[in-house]
Amino acid sequence: MTTSESHSSGQVTATGPLTVSAANPRYFTAAAGDTAGQKAVYLTGSHIWNNLHDGMGPGAACAEPSEELDYGAYLDFLAEHGHNFIRLWRWEQVRSQAAGGDFHLCMTPQPWARTGPGVAKDGKSKFDLDRFDEAFFDRLRDRVVAAGQQGIYVAVMFFDGWALHLSPAPDHVEGHPFHAANNINGVGIGSILDYQVLPLDPRIQQLQEAYIRKVVDTLHDLPNLLWEVANESSGGGKVDPAFAEALGLAGTLEWGDSTAWQYWVIDHVRQYEEEMGYDRHPIGMTMQFPVPEQTKVNDPLFDSRAEWISPGYDDESFADGGHPMAPGSPQSQWLEDPPAADGRKVVISDTDHYAPGRGDALWAWKSFLRGHHPILMDFGIIAGVNPSDPSAGGSMSYAAYEPARYAMGDTLRFARRMNLIQMQPRGTLSSTGYALANPGEEYLVLQPSTTADPFTMRLAAGTYAVEWFGVDTRRTMGAGEVTVERDESIGFTAPLAEAEPAVLYLHRPTRRSG
């Protein structure tokens, strides 16, 4: 187990590198070897598109100078809410749009130097794809280090797929450094097929290899590091003409299947870490879109060699089309009643892939009690973490996401108090369906009802300290002890002053509860 310093001042306090726990593979641990005494590392936090690059703001047109995120304030915001994880977003276009053109993402710096000769589509010097821009890699390292100094783990995204096929045309391609008009190297991609679907032009794949190795060289010694291959790349499906028209494209689109390419990235990272004698860091694969069968969207993730995954919506209600973001659509189970983690992968459950724009306190608690690591695609901070009017923007306002943010931090506090590495989702033990349990030692139960309904919990014989926590009020109440003479179901009713969703924590009195 190590910590590490960087070019930046200060010590990284997050311990690592992380490895999947052999004792409970739903979680990471920061120690390798003998499993005795290892503690589970549970991850949760808020992330947003511009936490690495500058250049995001309202309206379709790029701004000069590029808008900058106050990264220090962002880290303080995370610490205030008790978070310990972010996705560090890679956005590859120097000119692009999102949210139907309501926001521009003209992102800088990029990994390659803008030397010219000649002018790119955004009016600035063309890229030389054979020369790296050290300013990008310095920033990348500094941001991972700065997060680590606050105990925050960082998943560094190598590539982005979403903007290359799902952001509005023509800038989804024409804004990319690998578009022919934007570089001096004779490289020219026409779509995501040329960049994230095998087989690739050997020149493009060589450039990607060099970039991957440069990122790994830059960050390999940092203990708070995870990798992510790409955000929402293509999965071999098609979209209907109406969807294409909304993107400014025509006809039935063919974006190919990035699965083999993503597996290649995973293997290349692993091979390079081993070749260089670097520490191995967990690598993740996230939901693809579109896919041929939505109910099987997560199969390539579970079948991959990635240690962690972020699933997408796979509900039967979307088997024949539709999506949970459509007006009036049913919501995904991953938001409202997530399946229990079975330990095949560490599951970082990200609203970005099944409920963008949504997420509340119950979502965070339900995900935690089902063995997942909930993270929030936090549109409430799209304009910064210190808005002048926190309520502006209605359902997308800064204030609207506060319950989810604080709930994520609350789940982390409980995760650190418990012997989480010994606990598993055991929903059948409780009439509520939500329980983490190490039977006979510890139980954490969620009653999601807003009306303080009584519920039952099956306990092993023994004496347990009793503690209640209000999900909405965030208040804690001790309630003495309960003794069970034999294994049986016991009835409980939350004694909180207000009727609200509640968490019941039961543990042997000899266990530390603080």
Side-chain angles (χ1 to χ4, degrees):
M1 188 187 307
T2 62
T3 59
S4 176
E5 291 191 28
S6 81
H7 306 122
S8 303
S9 60
Q11 185 78 16
V12 173
T13 61
T15 54
L18 297 181
T19 185
V20 177
S21 168
N24 191 344
R26 298 168 186 82
Y27 304 104
F28 293 115
T29 183
D34 185 5
T35 59
Q38 289 184 351
K39 293 185 68 66
V41 176
Y42 166 76
L43 303 172
T44 192
S46 288
H47 61 96
I48 192 60
W49 295 324
N50 64 334
N51 59 8
L52 175 59
H53 303 278
D54 300 332
M56 185 179 80
C62 300
E64 288 293 342
S66 297
E67 303 93 338
E68 297 182 13
L69 172 75
D70 186 337
Y71 189 68
Y74 172 58
L75 294 180
D76 290 342
F77 155 88
L78 296 169
E80 176 191 343
H81 290 87
H83 298 178
N84 73 336
F85 178 81
I86 60 172
R87 296 170 80 195
L88 195 64
W89 274 81
R90 179 80 174 91
W91 200 281
E92 302 190 48
Q93 285 78 0
V94 295
R95 188 176 69 192
S96 66
Q97 299 81 38
D102 290 344
F103 281 83
H104 61 263
L105 295 102
C106 305
M107 302 305 240
T108 185
Q110 293 289 333
W112 304 279
R114 306 197 74 162
T115 63
V119 175
K121 282 281 189 176
D122 64 347
K124 299 178 181 178
S125 296
K126 290 186 177 183
F127 289 92
D128 181 349
L129 301 178
D130 288 322
R131 290 183 57 185
F132 289 121
D133 183 352
E134 294 298 333
F136 171 85
F137 296 96
D138 287 345
R139 171 179 289 200
L140 180 63
R141 183 176 175 88
D142 287 345
R143 295 212 165 174
V144 178
V145 169
Q149 290 167 359
Q150 298 221 34
I152 296 169
Y153 292 89
V154 180
V156 171
M157 196 184 293
F158 284 107
F159 300 94
D160 177 50
W162 186 91
L164 196 53
H165 68 304
L166 295 172
S167 66
D171 289 336
H172 66 312
V173 173
E174 293 184 5
H176 197 284
F178 280 48
H179 180 66
N182 295 333
N183 65 79
I184 65 171
N185 308 90
V187 171
I189 63 171
S191 76
I192 196 170
L193 288 165
D194 303 323
Y195 193 68
Q196 293 182 2
V197 178
L198 296 181
L200 294 178
D201 180 297
R203 175 67 171 135
I204 290 175
Q205 199 159 5
Q206 289 167 6
L207 289 167
Q208 289 180 344
E209 288 175 351
Y211 160 70
I212 291 169
R213 291 194 297 268
K214 177 68 170 175
V215 172
V216 174
D217 287 339
T218 301
L219 302 175
H220 70 89
D221 61 315
L222 300 180
N224 60 319
L225 173 66
L226 300 85
W227 306 119
E228 177 180 340
V229 176
N231 175 64
E232 293 190 8
S233 190
S234 53
K238 293 180 172 62
V239 296
D240 60 41
F243 190 101
E245 184 179 355
L247 298 177
L249 301 168
T252 301
L253 303 177
E254 174 56 54
W255 288 317
D257 187 346
S258 73
T259 301
W261 173 81
Q262 295 205 56
Y263 288 2
W264 166 76
V265 173
I266 292 169
D267 290 344
H268 188 69
V269 172
R270 287 283 164 261
Q271 178 183 348
Y272 189 64
E273 286 177 326
E274 183 176 354
E275 175 187 322
M276 299 301 294
Y278 293 158
D279 285 334
R280 178 171 173 149
H281 298 277
I283 191 165
M285 186 173 174
T286 63
M287 184 195 83
Q288 299 166 296
F289 183 88
V291 294
E293 296 183 65
Q294 194 62 43
T295 57
K296 297 181 179 180
V297 64
N298 297 320
D299 288 0
L301 281 61
F302 282 107
D303 292 342
S304 75
R305 286 180 287 276
E307 286 90 352
W308 65 271
I309 62 171
S310 285
Y313 60 98
D314 55 1
D315 311 71
E316 286 292 337
S317 57
F318 304 113
D320 298 322
H323 57 86
M325 290 72 77
S329 171
Q331 293 306 300
S332 172
Q333 63 174 340
W334 289 92
L335 178 72
E336 297 192 328
D337 187 20
D342 59 13
R344 284 182 291 164
K345 301 287 184 184
V346 174
V347 176
I348 297 179
S349 182
D350 188 350
T351 57
D352 185 32
H353 308 307
Y354 54 80
R358 296 184 174 93
D360 56 17
L362 276 179
W363 154 78
W365 277 102
K366 288 177 178 180
S367 299
F368 175 47
L369 270 290
R370 292 282 166 84
H372 305 309
H373 305 247
I375 66 172
L376 180 68
M377 179 77 247
D378 196 337
F379 290 136
I381 58 173
I382 204 166
V385 297
N386 294 304
S388 57
D389 182 359
S391 298
S395 63
M396 295 288 187
S397 69
Y398 178 93
Y401 293 93
E402 282 287 75
R405 295 180 192 124
Y406 280 116
M408 288 190 289
D410 292 335
T411 64
L412 179 57
R413 287 193 300 107
F414 274 89
R416 287 173 170 167
R417 292 176 59 191
M418 300 185 302
N419 188 16
L420 185 61
I421 207 163
Q422 297 296 328
M423 302 186 77
Q424 298 183 18
R426 297 288 299 273
T428 57
L429 295 179
S430 174
S431 60
T432 71
Y434 293 96
L436 281 173
N438 178 12
E441 295 295 330
E442 277 186 294
Y443 302 84
L444 191 72
V445 190
L446 171 68
Q447 169 53 289
S449 167
T450 59
T451 54
D453 297 339
F455 63 93
T456 61
M457 184 67 197
R458 185 168 185 82
L459 303 177
T463 297
Y464 302 93
V466 180
E467 179 182 313
W468 292 91
F469 179 79
V471 169
D472 295 335
T473 59
R474 306 180 62 230
R475 293 175 183 152
T476 301
M477 174 185 292
E481 296 181 350
V482 61
T483 297
V484 183
E485 299 296 339
R486 62 183 182 278
D487 293 6
E488 62 180 326
S489 292
I490 303 297
F492 291 95
T493 302
L496 304 173
E498 302 175 28
E500 61 177 311
V503 173
L504 170 65
Y505 180 36
L506 303 167
H507 61 88
R508 292 289 192 181
T510 54
R511 265 197 62 79
R512 286 189 61 182
S513 60

mmCIF file with all atom_site columns, all heavy atoms in Angstrom, residues 155-171:
data_model
loop_
_atom_site.group_PDB
_atom_site.id
_atom_site.type_symbol
_atom_site.label_atom_id
_atom_site.label_alt_id
_atom_site.label_comp_id
_atom_site.label_asym_id
_atom_site.label_entity_id
_atom_site.label_seq_id
_atom_site.pdbx_PDB_ins_code
_atom_site.Cartn_x
_atom_site.Cartn_y
_atom_site.Cartn_z
_atom_site.occupancy
_atom_site.B_iso_or_equiv
_atom_site.pdbx_formal_charge
_atom_site.auth_seq_id
_atom_site.auth_comp_id
_atom_site.auth_asym_id
_atom_site.auth_atom_id
_atom_site.pdbx_PDB_model_num
ATOM 1   N N   . ALA A 1 155 ? -11.174 8.239  -11.588 1.00 0.00 ? 155 ALA A N   1
ATOM 2   C CA  . ALA A 1 155 ? -11.183 7.386  -12.775 1.00 0.00 ? 155 ALA A CA  1
ATOM 3   C C   . ALA A 1 155 ? -10.849 8.262  -13.978 1.00 0.00 ? 155 ALA A C   1
ATOM 4   O O   . ALA A 1 155 ? -11.636 9.140  -14.353 1.00 0.00 ? 155 ALA A O   1
ATOM 5   C CB  . ALA A 1 155 ? -12.538 6.720  -12.955 1.00 0.00 ? 155 ALA A CB  1
ATOM 6   N N   . VAL A 1 156 ? -9.686  8.061  -14.547 1.00 0.00 ? 156 VAL A N   1
ATOM 7   C CA  . VAL A 1 156 ? -9.219  8.854  -15.678 1.00 0.00 ? 156 VAL A CA  1
ATOM 8   C C   . VAL A 1 156 ? -9.712  8.216  -16.972 1.00 0.00 ? 156 VAL A C   1
ATOM 9   O O   . VAL A 1 156 ? -9.404  7.060  -17.261 1.00 0.00 ? 156 VAL A O   1
ATOM 10  C CB  . VAL A 1 156 ? -7.683  8.963  -15.677 1.00 0.00 ? 156 VAL A CB  1
ATOM 11  C CG1 . VAL A 1 156 ? -7.172  9.607  -16.960 1.00 0.00 ? 156 VAL A CG1 1
ATOM 12  C CG2 . VAL A 1 156 ? -7.218  9.758  -14.460 1.00 0.00 ? 156 VAL A CG2 1
ATOM 13  N N   . MET A 1 157 ? -10.473 8.978  -17.725 1.00 0.00 ? 157 MET A N   1
ATOM 14  C CA  . MET A 1 157 ? -11.066 8.525  -18.970 1.00 0.00 ? 157 MET A CA  1
ATOM 15  C C   . MET A 1 157 ? -10.053 8.712  -20.106 1.00 0.00 ? 157 MET A C   1
ATOM 16  O O   . MET A 1 157 ? -9.607  9.826  -20.360 1.00 0.00 ? 157 MET A O   1
ATOM 17  C CB  . MET A 1 157 ? -12.323 9.361  -19.215 1.00 0.00 ? 157 MET A CB  1
ATOM 18  C CG  . MET A 1 157 ? -13.303 8.847  -20.231 1.00 0.00 ? 157 MET A CG  1
ATOM 19  S SD  . MET A 1 157 ? -14.668 10.034 -20.456 1.00 0.00 ? 157 MET A SD  1
ATOM 20  C CE  . MET A 1 157 ? -15.499 9.976  -18.873 1.00 0.00 ? 157 MET A CE  1
ATOM 21  N N   . PHE A 1 158 ? -9.691  7.616  -20.788 1.00 0.00 ? 158 PHE A N   1
ATOM 22  C CA  . PHE A 1 158 ? -8.770  7.721  -21.917 1.00 0.00 ? 158 PHE A CA  1
ATOM 23  C C   . PHE A 1 158 ? -9.430  8.388  -23.121 1.00 0.00 ? 158 PHE A C   1
ATOM 24  O O   . PHE A 1 158 ? -8.843  9.261  -23.782 1.00 0.00 ? 158 PHE A O   1
ATOM 25  C CB  . PHE A 1 158 ? -8.279  6.332  -22.347 1.00 0.00 ? 158 PHE A CB  1
ATOM 26  C CG  . PHE A 1 158 ? -7.249  5.727  -21.453 1.00 0.00 ? 158 PHE A CG  1
ATOM 27  C CD1 . PHE A 1 158 ? -7.578  4.673  -20.613 1.00 0.00 ? 158 PHE A CD1 1
ATOM 28  C CD2 . PHE A 1 158 ? -5.945  6.187  -21.445 1.00 0.00 ? 158 PHE A CD2 1
ATOM 29  C CE1 . PHE A 1 158 ? -6.627  4.088  -19.793 1.00 0.00 ? 158 PHE A CE1 1
ATOM 30  C CE2 . PHE A 1 158 ? -4.979  5.616  -20.625 1.00 0.00 ? 158 PHE A CE2 1
ATOM 31  C CZ  . PHE A 1 158 ? -5.330  4.558  -19.797 1.00 0.00 ? 158 PHE A CZ  1
ATOM 32  N N   . PHE A 1 159 ? -10.651 7.963  -23.448 1.00 0.00 ? 159 PHE A N   1
ATOM 33  C CA  . PHE A 1 159 ? -11.337 8.409  -24.660 1.00 0.00 ? 159 PHE A CA  1
ATOM 34  C C   . PHE A 1 159 ? -12.794 8.734  -24.335 1.00 0.00 ? 159 PHE A C   1
ATOM 35  O O   . PHE A 1 159 ? -13.318 8.334  -23.299 1.00 0.00 ? 159 PHE A O   1
ATOM 36  C CB  . PHE A 1 159 ? -11.308 7.312  -25.731 1.00 0.00 ? 159 PHE A CB  1
ATOM 37  C CG  . PHE A 1 159 ? -9.934  6.888  -26.164 1.00 0.00 ? 159 PHE A CG  1
ATOM 38  C CD1 . PHE A 1 159 ? -9.310  5.804  -25.566 1.00 0.00 ? 159 PHE A CD1 1
ATOM 39  C CD2 . PHE A 1 159 ? -9.261  7.566  -27.173 1.00 0.00 ? 159 PHE A CD2 1
ATOM 40  C CE1 . PHE A 1 159 ? -8.039  5.394  -25.958 1.00 0.00 ? 159 PHE A CE1 1
ATOM 41  C CE2 . PHE A 1 159 ? -7.992  7.171  -27.578 1.00 0.00 ? 159 PHE A CE2 1
ATOM 42  C CZ  . PHE A 1 159 ? -7.381  6.087  -26.975 1.00 0.00 ? 159 PHE A CZ  1
ATOM 43  N N   . ASP A 1 160 ? -13.433 9.446  -25.264 1.00 0.00 ? 160 ASP A N   1
ATOM 44  C CA  . ASP A 1 160 ? -14.882 9.657  -25.180 1.00 0.00 ? 160 ASP A CA  1
ATOM 45  C C   . ASP A 1 160 ? -15.516 9.165  -26.467 1.00 0.00 ? 160 ASP A C   1
ATOM 46  O O   . ASP A 1 160 ? -15.040 9.484  -27.558 1.00 0.00 ? 160 ASP A O   1
ATOM 47  C CB  . ASP A 1 160 ? -15.217 11.128 -24.971 1.00 0.00 ? 160 ASP A CB  1
ATOM 48  C CG  . ASP A 1 160 ? -16.716 11.360 -24.961 1.00 0.00 ? 160 ASP A CG  1
ATOM 49  O OD1 . ASP A 1 160 ? -17.418 10.631 -24.233 1.00 0.00 ? 160 ASP A OD1 1
ATOM 50  O OD2 . ASP A 1 160 ? -17.199 12.239 -25.699 1.00 0.00 ? 160 ASP A OD2 1
ATOM 51  N N   . GLY A 1 161 ? -16.579 8.371  -26.324 1.00 0.00 ? 161 GLY A N   1
ATOM 52  C CA  . GLY A 1 161 ? -17.317 7.924  -27.495 1.00 0.00 ? 161 GLY A CA  1
ATOM 53  C C   . GLY A 1 161 ? -18.555 8.750  -27.762 1.00 0.00 ? 161 GLY A C   1
ATOM 54  O O   . GLY A 1 161 ? -18.908 9.026  -28.901 1.00 0.00 ? 161 GLY A O   1
ATOM 55  N N   . TRP A 1 162 ? -19.209 9.198  -26.679 1.00 0.00 ? 162 TRP A N   1
ATOM 56  C CA  . TRP A 1 162 ? -20.507 9.851  -26.807 1.00 0.00 ? 162 TRP A CA  1
ATOM 57  C C   . TRP A 1 162 ? -20.470 11.033 -27.771 1.00 0.00 ? 162 TRP A C   1
ATOM 58  O O   . TRP A 1 162 ? -21.290 11.126 -28.695 1.00 0.00 ? 162 TRP A O   1
ATOM 59  C CB  . TRP A 1 162 ? -20.983 10.326 -25.426 1.00 0.00 ? 162 TRP A CB  1
ATOM 60  C CG  . TRP A 1 162 ? -22.374 10.888 -25.433 1.00 0.00 ? 162 TRP A CG  1
ATOM 61  C CD1 . TRP A 1 162 ? -23.532 10.223 -25.221 1.00 0.00 ? 162 TRP A CD1 1
ATOM 62  C CD2 . TRP A 1 162 ? -22.733 12.259 -25.679 1.00 0.00 ? 162 TRP A CD2 1
ATOM 63  N NE1 . TRP A 1 162 ? -24.608 11.078 -25.322 1.00 0.00 ? 162 TRP A NE1 1
ATOM 64  C CE2 . TRP A 1 162 ? -24.140 12.325 -25.606 1.00 0.00 ? 162 TRP A CE2 1
ATOM 65  C CE3 . TRP A 1 162 ? -22.014 13.420 -25.967 1.00 0.00 ? 162 TRP A CE3 1
ATOM 66  C CZ2 . TRP A 1 162 ? -24.835 13.517 -25.797 1.00 0.00 ? 162 TRP A CZ2 1
ATOM 67  C CZ3 . TRP A 1 162 ? -22.710 14.603 -26.167 1.00 0.00 ? 162 TRP A CZ3 1
ATOM 68  C CH2 . TRP A 1 162 ? -24.102 14.653 -26.076 1.00 0.00 ? 162 TRP A CH2 1
ATOM 69  N N   . ALA A 1 163 ? -19.536 11.940 -27.579 1.00 0.00 ? 163 ALA A N   1
ATOM 70  C CA  . ALA A 1 163 ? -19.525 13.158 -28.395 1.00 0.00 ? 163 ALA A CA  1
ATOM 71  C C   . ALA A 1 163 ? -19.172 12.880 -29.848 1.00 0.00 ? 163 ALA A C   1
ATOM 72  O O   . ALA A 1 163 ? -19.513 13.664 -30.734 1.00 0.00 ? 163 ALA A O   1
ATOM 73  C CB  . ALA A 1 163 ? -18.537 14.172 -27.809 1.00 0.00 ? 163 ALA A CB  1
ATOM 74  N N   . LEU A 1 164 ? -18.517 11.752 -30.112 1.00 0.00 ? 164 LEU A N   1
ATOM 75  C CA  . LEU A 1 164 ? -18.093 11.442 -31.472 1.00 0.00 ? 164 LEU A CA  1
ATOM 76  C C   . LEU A 1 164 ? -19.220 10.882 -32.327 1.00 0.00 ? 164 LEU A C   1
ATOM 77  O O   . LEU A 1 164 ? -19.132 10.904 -33.545 1.00 0.00 ? 164 LEU A O   1
ATOM 78  C CB  . LEU A 1 164 ? -16.918 10.463 -31.431 1.00 0.00 ? 164 LEU A CB  1
ATOM 79  C CG  . LEU A 1 164 ? -16.071 10.279 -32.690 1.00 0.00 ? 164 LEU A CG  1
ATOM 80  C CD1 . LEU A 1 164 ? -15.557 11.620 -33.222 1.00 0.00 ? 164 LEU A CD1 1
ATOM 81  C CD2 . LEU A 1 164 ? -14.906 9.352  -32.416 1.00 0.00 ? 164 LEU A CD2 1
ATOM 82  N N   . HIS A 1 165 ? -20.294 10.397 -31.694 1.00 0.00 ? 165 HIS A N   1
ATOM 83  C CA  . HIS A 1 165 ? -21.413 9.917  -32.513 1.00 0.00 ? 165 HIS A CA  1
ATOM 84  C C   . HIS A 1 165 ? -22.777 10.391 -32.034 1.00 0.00 ? 165 HIS A C   1
ATOM 85  O O   . HIS A 1 165 ? -23.751 10.279 -32.780 1.00 0.00 ? 165 HIS A O   1
ATOM 86  C CB  . HIS A 1 165 ? -21.392 8.387  -32.633 1.00 0.00 ? 165 HIS A CB  1
ATOM 87  C CG  . HIS A 1 165 ? -21.687 7.621  -31.382 1.00 0.00 ? 165 HIS A CG  1
ATOM 88  N ND1 . HIS A 1 165 ? -20.980 7.783  -30.221 1.00 0.00 ? 165 HIS A ND1 1
ATOM 89  C CD2 . HIS A 1 165 ? -22.608 6.651  -31.108 1.00 0.00 ? 165 HIS A CD2 1
ATOM 90  C CE1 . HIS A 1 165 ? -21.452 6.952  -29.292 1.00 0.00 ? 165 HIS A CE1 1
ATOM 91  N NE2 . HIS A 1 165 ? -22.430 6.261  -29.805 1.00 0.00 ? 165 HIS A NE2 1
ATOM 92  N N   . LEU A 1 166 ? -22.850 10.980 -30.835 1.00 0.00 ? 166 LEU A N   1
ATOM 93  C CA  . LEU A 1 166 ? -24.149 11.372 -30.298 1.00 0.00 ? 166 LEU A CA  1
ATOM 94  C C   . LEU A 1 166 ? -24.291 12.859 -30.024 1.00 0.00 ? 166 LEU A C   1
ATOM 95  O O   . LEU A 1 166 ? -25.363 13.297 -29.595 1.00 0.00 ? 166 LEU A O   1
ATOM 96  C CB  . LEU A 1 166 ? -24.428 10.585 -29.010 1.00 0.00 ? 166 LEU A CB  1
ATOM 97  C CG  . LEU A 1 166 ? -24.584 9.073  -29.187 1.00 0.00 ? 166 LEU A CG  1
ATOM 98  C CD1 . LEU A 1 166 ? -24.664 8.372  -27.840 1.00 0.00 ? 166 LEU A CD1 1
ATOM 99  C CD2 . LEU A 1 166 ? -25.811 8.745  -30.033 1.00 0.00 ? 166 LEU A CD2 1
ATOM 100 N N   . SER A 1 167 ? -23.237 13.644 -30.245 1.00 0.00 ? 167 SER A N   1
ATOM 101 C CA  . SER A 1 167 ? -23.384 15.097 -30.152 1.00 0.00 ? 167 SER A CA  1
ATOM 102 C C   . SER A 1 167 ? -23.696 15.648 -31.542 1.00 0.00 ? 167 SER A C   1
ATOM 103 O O   . SER A 1 167 ? -23.486 14.974 -32.557 1.00 0.00 ? 167 SER A O   1
ATOM 104 C CB  . SER A 1 167 ? -22.128 15.742 -29.562 1.00 0.00 ? 167 SER A CB  1
ATOM 105 O OG  . SER A 1 167 ? -21.023 15.594 -30.434 1.00 0.00 ? 167 SER A OG  1
ATOM 106 N N   . PRO A 1 168 ? -24.229 16.868 -31.629 1.00 0.00 ? 168 PRO A N   1
ATOM 107 C CA  . PRO A 1 168 ? -24.735 17.380 -32.904 1.00 0.00 ? 168 PRO A CA  1
ATOM 108 C C   . PRO A 1 168 ? -23.681 17.476 -33.998 1.00 0.00 ? 168 PRO A C   1
ATOM 109 O O   . PRO A 1 168 ? -22.527 17.845 -33.751 1.00 0.00 ? 168 PRO A O   1
ATOM 110 C CB  . PRO A 1 168 ? -25.274 18.766 -32.524 1.00 0.00 ? 168 PRO A CB  1
ATOM 111 C CG  . PRO A 1 168 ? -25.610 18.659 -31.071 1.00 0.00 ? 168 PRO A CG  1
ATOM 112 C CD  . PRO A 1 168 ? -24.567 17.760 -30.497 1.00 0.00 ? 168 PRO A CD  1
ATOM 113 N N   . ALA A 1 169 ? -24.114 17.128 -35.213 1.00 0.00 ? 169 ALA A N   1
ATOM 114 C CA  . ALA A 1 169 ? -23.289 17.297 -36.408 1.00 0.00 ? 169 ALA A CA  1
ATOM 115 C C   . ALA A 1 169 ? -23.273 18.771 -36.796 1.00 0.00 ? 169 ALA A C   1
ATOM 116 O O   . ALA A 1 169 ? -24.189 19.522 -36.478 1.00 0.00 ? 169 ALA A O   1
ATOM 117 C CB  . ALA A 1 169 ? -23.855 16.443 -37.538 1.00 0.00 ? 169 ALA A CB  1
ATOM 118 N N   . PRO A 1 170 ? -22.214 19.213 -37.520 1.00 0.00 ? 170 PRO A N   1
ATOM 119 C CA  . PRO A 1 170 ? -21.065 18.441 -37.983 1.00 0.00 ? 170 PRO A CA  1
ATOM 120 C C   . PRO A 1 170 ? -19.882 18.448 -37.007 1.00 0.00 ? 170 PRO A C   1
ATOM 121 O O   . PRO A 1 170 ? -18.886 17.783 -37.245 1.00 0.00 ? 170 PRO A O   1
ATOM 122 C CB  . PRO A 1 170 ? -20.674 19.152 -39.268 1.00 0.00 ? 170 PRO A CB  1
ATOM 123 C CG  . PRO A 1 170 ? -20.964 20.597 -38.959 1.00 0.00 ? 170 PRO A CG  1
ATOM 124 C CD  . PRO A 1 170 ? -22.216 20.587 -38.108 1.00 0.00 ? 170 PRO A CD  1
ATOM 125 N N   . ASP A 1 171 ? -20.016 19.189 -35.878 1.00 0.00 ? 171 ASP A N   1
ATOM 126 C CA  . ASP A 1 171 ? -18.848 19.371 -35.012 1.00 0.00 ? 171 ASP A CA  1
ATOM 127 C C   . ASP A 1 171 ? -18.470 18.115 -34.245 1.00 0.00 ? 171 ASP A C   1
ATOM 128 O O   . ASP A 1 171 ? -17.370 18.039 -33.699 1.00 0.00 ? 171 ASP A O   1
ATOM 129 C CB  . ASP A 1 171 ? -19.088 20.527 -34.030 1.00 0.00 ? 171 ASP A CB  1
ATOM 130 C CG  . ASP A 1 171 ? -19.063 21.873 -34.724 1.00 0.00 ? 171 ASP A CG  1
ATOM 131 O OD1 . ASP A 1 171 ? -18.436 21.975 -35.790 1.00 0.00 ? 171 ASP A OD1 1
ATOM 132 O OD2 . ASP A 1 171 ? -19.677 22.823 -34.205 1.00 0.00 ? 171 ASP A OD2 1
#
